[in-house]
Amino acid sequence: MSNPILEIRNLYVEFPSSGEILRAVKDVSFNLALGETIGIVGESGSGKSVTSLAVIGLLPTAAKVTGEILFRNPRLASANPVNLLTLSAQQRRTYRGALIAMVFQEPLTSLNPVYTCGEQVVEAILLHEQVSQKEAYRKAIALFDEVKLPNPREMMKRYPHQLSGGQQQRVMIAMALSGNPAILIADEPTTALDVTIQATILQLLRELRDRRGMSILFITHDMGVVAEIADRVVVMYRGQAVETAKVYDLFANPQHPYTQGLLNCRPRPNQRLKRLPTVADFMRVTTNASGELEIVSQIHSQEEKDLLLAEVSSSAVVERSQHLQQQQPLLSVRHLTKEFPMRSGLFGKKIGFKAVDDVSFEVYPGETLGLVGESGCGKSTLSRCLLRLMEPTSGEIIFDGDSVLELDAKPLRHLRRYMQIIFQNPYGSLNARQTIGDALMEPMQIHKLGGSPQQRRQRAIDLLERVGLGESAMNRMPHEFSGGQRQRICIARTLACEPRFIICDESVSALDVSVQAQVLNLLKDLQQDFGLTYIFISHDLSVVKFVSDRIMVMNHGRIEEIGSAESIYNSPRQEYTRQLIKAIPDTKLEDIQARQLSRATVAAKEVEAS
């Protein structure tokens, strides 16, 4: 680290906001060595993405950036470090892409939908290298092959929408590599991906780093991902770097209460906690007389920590399971199939694609059935068929003795009061022009619940308080709330109908880990208080195991296996399930240590060879 490739010294980033100054990054300093991966971790609003954008020079012109960002070009042995903040916009462009490249969180919004993937990568190569169109095309194919896209020549001809999420991200990585950068900034590149695809992208980044000798700044809010890929970690909170340490040291002995909270609020598949701890359980934040944050630990003894991480006993799990399955099922699904017509071949022969293929299962009152599988396995299609938001091709759906598929429009509307769904994107689920109060009272009006307008308003206020908000939210608009708060509002709106059965369709996958913990705890509390029954859909087996009594695994529209949460995780019968479990990010200390020792051994051999 005597000659790091990147040095960030006393970095401040400020934005003008409503006549005030918003300080997004406050006095951040750290170094990045050649070939090293630093994980920058923190919740939304912590300043991690703003820090990375300052490095690559993509902040808005209104931003005021001070401090130093020193870059040392590794391709010039005698090069002195250059302060990137002192360069003109034209000079910064010579570094961006060619020496420092970036991969963003959502690949589909970063790719141009009207150009093929190959055309976009060829364009990037021509921008960085003085080569012919033919040579650029050949290099693009080689890059597609390097990032392990199947059939690279065919992928060159495809448009972004024709690729899966993981393939789109590989195209973005290929484009970032087109300039042969010394530093790759990866900003939440796996957040929206299935856990299995996430594992392959992380493995790909590790291989590219080692083969090319690149340095990586990896930005994430997931400590499990940090454990898999980082050498060192910078933990950020409200614009400040509160802790910097080697990855093993951070997991073995976290010093800052915020780090302790982040490490403990993510579900652990080998434990069944009574409740998930949150960051607020580990620290209290106050503001001193000069306006600076003061963070005080809330945990003062091992006994307090043990109480916070209390587990459910095995006997309690067995007893609850026996009680649930002694009841009559609330929902019975028999041989359900959903087929989409497609055309194939030269003459467009019509064929049927079965998104849901002969699925049968039951859900008991008060139970949570977890539904897991990769994107495209049929989870969301199944959920929409259960509510008849999508008409099944064949089969039976029996809810509380009623055949859902035989109901006409009026009785179906009445039934939907009791069968509700919480979608993945809370912002897309709320009307941007409707106040929160109106959004909550609307379903009461539709189903003629709550009595008078005053009574409906009071019930809406009660629901907001129940989900941790309050009356002050009634007259505000959706855009005024954070993602976690919007999801709480969606939960409150769902409860306004007084449902018995709720489908949670990836309802926590886009949330920070601490907010995710709060929402999961809330869902469990509401289940206990209102006797709710859930189908909880997710691709994250850790989250599903925490919240579920039983787990059902789907693959290619069919049920691979179904059983208790413990049996699915500890003794999976199917290879597909074993692969899902294997893909969960590994945070065990011995495995982190083994990865770091392997890295150190490889580095020592490279030094010796040189």
Side-chain angles (χ1 to χ4, degrees):
M1 290 293 289
S2 58
N3 288 310
I5 185 174
L6 184 72
E7 295 179 73
I8 296 178
R9 298 177 181 173
N10 310 114
L11 181 67
Y12 287 82
V13 180
E14 298 175 344
F15 297 95
S17 176
S18 303
E20 298 180 355
I21 297 297
L22 172 64
R23 187 169 284 176
V25 176
K26 310 169 189 176
D27 197 22
V28 168
S29 300
F30 63 87
N31 295 341
L32 176 68
L34 188 62
E36 181 184 35
T37 300
I38 284 185
I40 305 180
V41 66
E43 298 172 284
S44 296
S46 64
K48 54 189 189 298
S49 291
V50 174
T51 300
S52 69
L53 292 172
V55 171
I56 201 170
L58 289 178
L59 287 172
T61 54
K64 180 184 177 183
V65 186
T66 57
E68 292 182 302
I69 301 178
L70 303 177
F71 175 77
R72 183 177 283 102
N73 190 339
R75 295 163 194 167
L76 302 175
S78 60
N80 293 319
V82 175
N83 184 0
L84 299 179
L85 298 182
T86 63
L87 301 179
S88 67
Q90 180 64 35
Q91 289 171 321
R92 287 298 289 268
R93 280 194 285 272
T94 64
Y95 285 82
R96 191 183 306 128
L99 289 166
I100 304 173
M102 191 163 187
V103 178
F104 294 95
Q105 177 175 349
E106 181 49 66
L108 195 56
T109 59
S110 302
L111 293 167
N112 192 323
V114 301
Y115 291 100
T116 66
C117 297
E119 287 171 334
Q120 296 182 63
V121 176
V122 166
E123 180 184 29
I125 293 170
L126 292 172
L127 182 66
H128 298 302
E129 297 187 40
Q130 300 295 321
V131 295
S132 66
Q133 186 85 16
K134 184 177 181 181
E135 178 64 12
Y137 189 87
R138 186 192 65 77
K139 289 190 173 213
I141 293 175
L143 283 171
F144 277 16
D145 185 55
E146 187 177 10
V147 299
K148 299 183 179 178
L149 278 167
N151 197 348
R153 291 184 179 277
E154 179 62 29
M155 287 292 175
M156 291 283 289
K157 305 172 188 175
R158 293 193 182 181
Y159 290 88
H161 72 273
Q162 296 177 298
L163 274 60
S164 68
Q167 289 172 337
Q168 291 165 3
Q169 197 60 283
R170 288 171 187 269
V171 171
M172 286 303 303
I173 293 171
M175 193 179 301
L177 296 176
S178 62
N180 192 26
I183 297 175
L184 180 67
I185 301 173
D187 188 1
E188 302 269 16
T190 62
T191 298
L193 303 179
D194 292 333
V195 65
T196 49
I197 300 172
Q198 172 180 271
T200 61
I201 293 295
L202 293 177
Q203 178 62 27
L204 172 64
L205 288 173
R206 285 193 293 263
E207 292 174 0
L208 292 170
R209 173 197 64 194
D210 296 341
R211 183 165 59 246
R212 288 172 168 254
M214 280 192 315
S215 302
I216 297 178
L217 283 180
F218 194 99
I219 299 161
T220 182
H221 63 258
D222 191 333
M223 297 299 284
V225 171
V226 166
E228 286 276 350
I229 196 166
D231 300 307
R232 288 190 301 130
V233 186
V234 177
V235 181
M236 294 191 67
Y237 178 72
R238 295 194 184 181
Q240 297 176 311
V242 296
E243 185 167 359
T244 303
K246 292 181 179 179
V247 64
Y248 178 84
D249 295 337
L250 190 90
F251 278 80
N253 188 24
Q255 298 298 304
H256 197 276
Y258 180 65
T259 310
Q260 295 167 9
L262 285 181
L263 286 171
N264 284 284
C265 64
R266 177 170 170 77
R268 300 178 183 180
N270 58 342
Q271 291 180 306
R272 182 178 278 270
L273 301 181
K274 292 180 179 179
R275 293 181 66 79
L276 284 174
T278 66
V279 168
D281 294 320
F282 284 83
M283 68 181 198
R284 185 176 75 254
V285 183
T286 59
T287 306
N288 61 23
S290 59
E292 295 178 345
L293 296 180
E294 290 188 348
I295 300 173
V296 181
S297 177
Q298 295 276 68
I299 305 296
H300 304 292
S301 66
Q302 186 61 42
E303 289 75 17
E304 289 183 1
K305 185 175 180 181
D306 291 342
L307 185 63
L308 194 61
L309 301 176
E311 296 186 44
V312 181
S313 66
S314 299
S315 59
V317 172
V318 173
E319 184 179 337
R320 173 175 165 80
S321 176
Q322 291 173 344
H323 167 71
L324 290 171
Q325 296 186 40
Q326 285 172 355
Q327 306 172 88
Q328 287 294 319
L330 178 65
L331 177 73
S332 295
V333 179
R334 299 168 186 164
H335 307 293
L336 192 70
T337 297
K338 175 59 181 176
E339 189 172 300
F340 291 99
M342 298 179 66
R343 293 189 179 275
S344 177
L346 181 63
F347 298 102
K349 180 182 178 182
K350 187 178 288 187
I351 61 172
F353 168 70
K354 292 183 179 179
V356 177
D357 187 2
D358 194 25
V359 167
S360 300
F361 63 94
E362 295 174 331
V363 187
Y364 298 94
E367 181 184 35
T368 298
L369 176 67
L371 180 53
V372 298
E374 297 174 285
S375 295
C377 72
K379 306 188 298 292
S380 293
T381 302
L382 172 61
S383 70
R384 284 156 176 76
C385 288
L386 295 180
L387 301 180
R388 278 186 66 185
L389 300 176
M390 186 181 287
E391 291 293 336
T393 305
S394 62
E396 281 187 290
I397 303 171
I398 310 297
F399 180 79
D400 198 23
D402 292 325
S403 177
V404 175
L405 299 184
E406 295 178 2
L407 297 178
D408 294 330
K410 188 173 181 180
L412 178 61
R413 173 178 284 193
H414 176 73
L415 181 68
R416 281 183 175 155
R417 169 190 166 185
Y418 302 103
M419 302 176 73
Q420 290 286 307
I421 186 168
I422 303 170
F423 292 102
Q424 177 175 356
N425 183 356
Y427 194 74
S429 303
L430 296 168
N431 188 332
R433 298 182 179 182
Q434 191 176 44
T435 66
I436 300 307
D438 288 342
L440 266 63
M441 290 186 287
E442 184 179 48
M444 300 184 212
Q445 294 169 342
I446 291 172
H447 293 288
K448 298 180 172 58
L449 301 172
S452 68
Q454 292 78 15
Q455 289 172 317
R456 287 171 182 157
R457 177 178 172 80
Q458 186 56 51
R459 174 158 172 75
I461 293 170
D462 293 342
L463 287 170
L464 286 171
E465 291 176 347
R466 186 66 188 82
V467 299
L469 297 173
E471 186 174 359
S472 62
M474 287 288 289
N475 296 320
R476 296 166 65 187
M477 307 300 285
H479 72 270
E480 299 180 65
F481 295 88
S482 68
Q485 289 172 325
R486 286 197 291 263
Q487 196 61 284
R488 288 169 179 268
I489 290 165
C490 290
I491 293 171
R493 185 179 60 177
T494 299
L495 294 175
C497 297
E498 300 176 358
R500 298 178 60 193
F501 171 74
I502 299 175
I503 297 174
C504 304
D505 189 1
E506 300 277 11
S507 53
V508 298
S509 62
L511 303 179
D512 289 329
V513 284
S514 184
V515 178
Q516 181 185 83
Q518 295 170 18
V519 173
L520 291 174
N521 288 336
L522 173 63
L523 289 172
K524 296 197 81 169
D525 290 343
L526 294 172
Q527 181 177 51
Q528 184 173 351
D529 294 346
F530 296 104
L532 298 172
T533 303
Y534 295 135
I535 287 182
F536 190 92
I537 300 173
S538 179
H539 60 259
D540 189 333
L541 201 56
S542 299
V543 170
V544 170
K545 185 175 181 294
F546 167 75
V547 80
S548 303
D549 298 294
R550 290 185 300 144
I551 294 176
M552 184 165 76
V553 183
M554 284 190 72
N555 184 25
H556 297 305
R558 300 184 68 89
I559 297 175
E560 286 279 335
E561 58 182 303
I562 185 169
S564 70
E566 275 69 26
S567 66
I568 291 291
Y569 179 75
N570 296 319
S571 306
R573 298 192 306 272
Q574 301 298 324
E575 178 60 26
Y576 179 74
T577 310
R578 286 192 284 271
Q579 291 301 318
L580 286 179
I581 294 170
K582 185 180 178 182
I584 297 172
D586 185 3
T587 60
K588 293 191 287 291
L589 288 177
E590 57 269 26
D591 293 331
I592 295 174
Q593 187 175 42
R595 283 194 291 269
Q596 294 305 304
L597 286 173
S598 175
R599 286 271 286 144
T601 302
V602 170
K605 288 180 178 178
E606 289 176 353
V607 171
E608 184 178 337
S610 62

PDB file of all heavy atoms in Angstrom, residues 18-36:
ATOM      1  N   SER A  18     -33.028  23.025  -1.526  1.00  0.00           N
ATOM      2  CA  SER A  18     -34.056  23.888  -0.926  1.00  0.00           C
ATOM      3  C   SER A  18     -33.453  25.017  -0.103  1.00  0.00           C
ATOM      4  O   SER A  18     -33.871  25.275   1.034  1.00  0.00           O
ATOM      5  CB  SER A  18     -35.002  23.042  -0.055  1.00  0.00           C
ATOM      6  OG  SER A  18     -35.591  22.020  -0.806  1.00  0.00           O
ATOM      7  N   GLY A  19     -32.460  25.671  -0.669  1.00  0.00           N
ATOM      8  CA  GLY A  19     -31.842  26.795   0.020  1.00  0.00           C
ATOM      9  C   GLY A  19     -30.840  26.408   1.081  1.00  0.00           C
ATOM     10  O   GLY A  19     -30.221  27.265   1.707  1.00  0.00           O
ATOM     11  N   GLU A  20     -30.651  25.082   1.287  1.00  0.00           N
ATOM     12  CA  GLU A  20     -29.683  24.602   2.263  1.00  0.00           C
ATOM     13  C   GLU A  20     -28.593  23.813   1.543  1.00  0.00           C
ATOM     14  O   GLU A  20     -28.667  23.550   0.352  1.00  0.00           O
ATOM     15  CB  GLU A  20     -30.376  23.721   3.311  1.00  0.00           C
ATOM     16  CG  GLU A  20     -31.446  24.455   4.122  1.00  0.00           C
ATOM     17  CD  GLU A  20     -32.095  23.551   5.149  1.00  0.00           C
ATOM     18  OE1 GLU A  20     -31.769  22.333   5.153  1.00  0.00           O
ATOM     19  OE2 GLU A  20     -32.910  24.040   5.946  1.00  0.00           O
ATOM     20  N   ILE A  21     -27.577  23.440   2.302  1.00  0.00           N
ATOM     21  CA  ILE A  21     -26.490  22.619   1.762  1.00  0.00           C
ATOM     22  C   ILE A  21     -26.605  21.213   2.344  1.00  0.00           C
ATOM     23  O   ILE A  21     -26.583  21.025   3.558  1.00  0.00           O
ATOM     24  CB  ILE A  21     -25.102  23.218   2.091  1.00  0.00           C
ATOM     25  CG1 ILE A  21     -24.954  24.590   1.432  1.00  0.00           C
ATOM     26  CG2 ILE A  21     -23.998  22.279   1.629  1.00  0.00           C
ATOM     27  CD1 ILE A  21     -25.010  24.563  -0.085  1.00  0.00           C
ATOM     28  N   LEU A  22     -26.752  20.224   1.453  1.00  0.00           N
ATOM     29  CA  LEU A  22     -26.793  18.825   1.872  1.00  0.00           C
ATOM     30  C   LEU A  22     -25.405  18.231   1.707  1.00  0.00           C
ATOM     31  O   LEU A  22     -24.885  18.154   0.590  1.00  0.00           O
ATOM     32  CB  LEU A  22     -27.803  18.045   1.020  1.00  0.00           C
ATOM     33  CG  LEU A  22     -27.832  16.527   1.215  1.00  0.00           C
ATOM     34  CD1 LEU A  22     -28.268  16.181   2.630  1.00  0.00           C
ATOM     35  CD2 LEU A  22     -28.748  15.864   0.193  1.00  0.00           C
ATOM     36  N   ARG A  23     -24.807  17.832   2.809  1.00  0.00           N
ATOM     37  CA  ARG A  23     -23.475  17.237   2.771  1.00  0.00           C
ATOM     38  C   ARG A  23     -23.628  15.718   2.658  1.00  0.00           C
ATOM     39  O   ARG A  23     -23.921  15.032   3.641  1.00  0.00           O
ATOM     40  CB  ARG A  23     -22.688  17.631   4.024  1.00  0.00           C
ATOM     41  CG  ARG A  23     -21.245  17.198   4.004  1.00  0.00           C
ATOM     42  CD  ARG A  23     -20.449  17.835   5.125  1.00  0.00           C
ATOM     43  NE  ARG A  23     -20.142  19.240   4.834  1.00  0.00           N
ATOM     44  CZ  ARG A  23     -19.513  20.043   5.699  1.00  0.00           C
ATOM     45  NH1 ARG A  23     -19.166  19.603   6.886  1.00  0.00           N
ATOM     46  NH2 ARG A  23     -19.251  21.286   5.355  1.00  0.00           N
ATOM     47  N   ALA A  24     -23.442  15.195   1.455  1.00  0.00           N
ATOM     48  CA  ALA A  24     -23.665  13.771   1.191  1.00  0.00           C
ATOM     49  C   ALA A  24     -22.469  12.913   1.581  1.00  0.00           C
ATOM     50  O   ALA A  24     -22.619  11.738   1.919  1.00  0.00           O
ATOM     51  CB  ALA A  24     -23.990  13.559  -0.286  1.00  0.00           C
ATOM     52  N   VAL A  25     -21.254  13.477   1.490  1.00  0.00           N
ATOM     53  CA  VAL A  25     -20.025  12.770   1.881  1.00  0.00           C
ATOM     54  C   VAL A  25     -19.219  13.709   2.763  1.00  0.00           C
ATOM     55  O   VAL A  25     -19.025  14.876   2.432  1.00  0.00           O
ATOM     56  CB  VAL A  25     -19.199  12.343   0.648  1.00  0.00           C
ATOM     57  CG1 VAL A  25     -17.885  11.695   1.067  1.00  0.00           C
ATOM     58  CG2 VAL A  25     -20.000  11.382  -0.228  1.00  0.00           C
ATOM     59  N   LYS A  26     -18.752  13.170   3.903  1.00  0.00           N
ATOM     60  CA  LYS A  26     -18.100  14.022   4.904  1.00  0.00           C
ATOM     61  C   LYS A  26     -16.745  13.427   5.303  1.00  0.00           C
ATOM     62  O   LYS A  26     -16.692  12.405   6.001  1.00  0.00           O
ATOM     63  CB  LYS A  26     -18.979  14.155   6.149  1.00  0.00           C
ATOM     64  CG  LYS A  26     -20.420  14.529   5.864  1.00  0.00           C
ATOM     65  CD  LYS A  26     -21.276  14.372   7.115  1.00  0.00           C
ATOM     66  CE  LYS A  26     -22.757  14.524   6.783  1.00  0.00           C
ATOM     67  NZ  LYS A  26     -23.611  14.272   7.963  1.00  0.00           N
ATOM     68  N   ASP A  27     -15.688  14.014   4.821  1.00  0.00           N
ATOM     69  CA  ASP A  27     -14.336  13.700   5.279  1.00  0.00           C
ATOM     70  C   ASP A  27     -14.005  12.206   5.152  1.00  0.00           C
ATOM     71  O   ASP A  27     -13.534  11.570   6.091  1.00  0.00           O
ATOM     72  CB  ASP A  27     -14.156  14.152   6.734  1.00  0.00           C
ATOM     73  CG  ASP A  27     -12.682  14.230   7.123  1.00  0.00           C
ATOM     74  OD1 ASP A  27     -11.835  14.342   6.218  1.00  0.00           O
ATOM     75  OD2 ASP A  27     -12.381  14.177   8.328  1.00  0.00           O
ATOM     76  N   VAL A  28     -14.230  11.660   3.966  1.00  0.00           N
ATOM     77  CA  VAL A  28     -13.960  10.235   3.718  1.00  0.00           C
ATOM     78  C   VAL A  28     -12.543  10.072   3.176  1.00  0.00           C
ATOM     79  O   VAL A  28     -12.134  10.786   2.253  1.00  0.00           O
ATOM     80  CB  VAL A  28     -14.991   9.656   2.731  1.00  0.00           C
ATOM     81  CG1 VAL A  28     -14.559   8.273   2.233  1.00  0.00           C
ATOM     82  CG2 VAL A  28     -16.360   9.581   3.382  1.00  0.00           C
ATOM     83  N   SER A  29     -11.809   9.112   3.736  1.00  0.00           N
ATOM     84  CA  SER A  29     -10.434   8.823   3.294  1.00  0.00           C
ATOM     85  C   SER A  29     -10.208   7.317   3.291  1.00  0.00           C
ATOM     86  O   SER A  29     -10.567   6.629   4.252  1.00  0.00           O
ATOM     87  CB  SER A  29      -9.405   9.485   4.217  1.00  0.00           C
ATOM     88  OG  SER A  29      -9.553  10.888   4.240  1.00  0.00           O
ATOM     89  N   PHE A  30      -9.644   6.801   2.202  1.00  0.00           N
ATOM     90  CA  PHE A  30      -9.172   5.415   2.151  1.00  0.00           C
ATOM     91  C   PHE A  30      -8.312   5.240   0.911  1.00  0.00           C
ATOM     92  O   PHE A  30      -8.340   6.064  -0.009  1.00  0.00           O
ATOM     93  CB  PHE A  30     -10.327   4.402   2.164  1.00  0.00           C
ATOM     94  CG  PHE A  30     -11.259   4.486   0.985  1.00  0.00           C
ATOM     95  CD1 PHE A  30     -11.000   3.792  -0.192  1.00  0.00           C
ATOM     96  CD2 PHE A  30     -12.414   5.255   1.055  1.00  0.00           C
ATOM     97  CE1 PHE A  30     -11.860   3.862  -1.275  1.00  0.00           C
ATOM     98  CE2 PHE A  30     -13.284   5.336  -0.026  1.00  0.00           C
ATOM     99  CZ  PHE A  30     -13.001   4.637  -1.191  1.00  0.00           C
ATOM    100  N   ASN A  31      -7.525   4.158   0.867  1.00  0.00           N
ATOM    101  CA  ASN A  31      -6.646   3.830  -0.258  1.00  0.00           C
ATOM    102  C   ASN A  31      -7.077   2.526  -0.911  1.00  0.00           C
ATOM    103  O   ASN A  31      -7.653   1.642  -0.252  1.00  0.00           O
ATOM    104  CB  ASN A  31      -5.195   3.683   0.209  1.00  0.00           C
ATOM    105  CG  ASN A  31      -4.623   4.982   0.739  1.00  0.00           C
ATOM    106  OD1 ASN A  31      -5.136   6.053   0.456  1.00  0.00           O
ATOM    107  ND2 ASN A  31      -3.561   4.881   1.517  1.00  0.00           N
ATOM    108  N   LEU A  32      -6.779   2.406  -2.202  1.00  0.00           N
ATOM    109  CA  LEU A  32      -7.056   1.178  -2.952  1.00  0.00           C
ATOM    110  C   LEU A  32      -5.781   0.719  -3.630  1.00  0.00           C
ATOM    111  O   LEU A  32      -5.175   1.463  -4.401  1.00  0.00           O
ATOM    112  CB  LEU A  32      -8.146   1.438  -4.003  1.00  0.00           C
ATOM    113  CG  LEU A  32      -8.490   0.280  -4.956  1.00  0.00           C
ATOM    114  CD1 LEU A  32      -9.155  -0.859  -4.190  1.00  0.00           C
ATOM    115  CD2 LEU A  32      -9.411   0.775  -6.083  1.00  0.00           C
ATOM    116  N   ALA A  33      -5.356  -0.514  -3.318  1.00  0.00           N
ATOM    117  CA  ALA A  33      -4.130  -1.055  -3.901  1.00  0.00           C
ATOM    118  C   ALA A  33      -4.408  -1.717  -5.249  1.00  0.00           C
ATOM    119  O   ALA A  33      -5.553  -2.073  -5.562  1.00  0.00           O
ATOM    120  CB  ALA A  33      -3.494  -2.060  -2.945  1.00  0.00           C
ATOM    121  N   LEU A  34      -3.384  -1.884  -6.047  1.00  0.00           N
ATOM    122  CA  LEU A  34      -3.507  -2.556  -7.339  1.00  0.00           C
ATOM    123  C   LEU A  34      -3.916  -4.015  -7.112  1.00  0.00           C
ATOM    124  O   LEU A  34      -3.308  -4.731  -6.321  1.00  0.00           O
ATOM    125  CB  LEU A  34      -2.181  -2.493  -8.094  1.00  0.00           C
ATOM    126  CG  LEU A  34      -2.203  -2.982  -9.549  1.00  0.00           C
ATOM    127  CD1 LEU A  34      -3.130  -2.123 -10.391  1.00  0.00           C
ATOM    128  CD2 LEU A  34      -0.799  -2.968 -10.140  1.00  0.00           C
ATOM    129  N   GLY A  35      -4.958  -4.468  -7.790  1.00  0.00           N
ATOM    130  CA  GLY A  35      -5.428  -5.838  -7.662  1.00  0.00           C
ATOM    131  C   GLY A  35      -6.285  -6.100  -6.446  1.00  0.00           C
ATOM    132  O   GLY A  35      -6.707  -7.239  -6.212  1.00  0.00           O
ATOM    133  N   GLU A  36      -6.585  -5.067  -5.666  1.00  0.00           N
ATOM    134  CA  GLU A  36      -7.360  -5.224  -4.440  1.00  0.00           C
ATOM    135  C   GLU A  36      -8.844  -4.941  -4.701  1.00  0.00           C
ATOM    136  O   GLU A  36      -9.205  -4.188  -5.598  1.00  0.00           O
ATOM    137  CB  GLU A  36      -6.839  -4.256  -3.378  1.00  0.00           C
ATOM    138  CG  GLU A  36      -7.563  -4.358  -2.035  1.00  0.00           C
ATOM    139  CD  GLU A  36      -7.089  -3.313  -1.036  1.00  0.00           C
ATOM    140  OE1 GLU A  36      -6.758  -2.189  -1.465  1.00  0.00           O
ATOM    141  OE2 GLU A  36      -7.064  -3.612   0.172  1.00  0.00           O
TER     142      GLU A  36
END
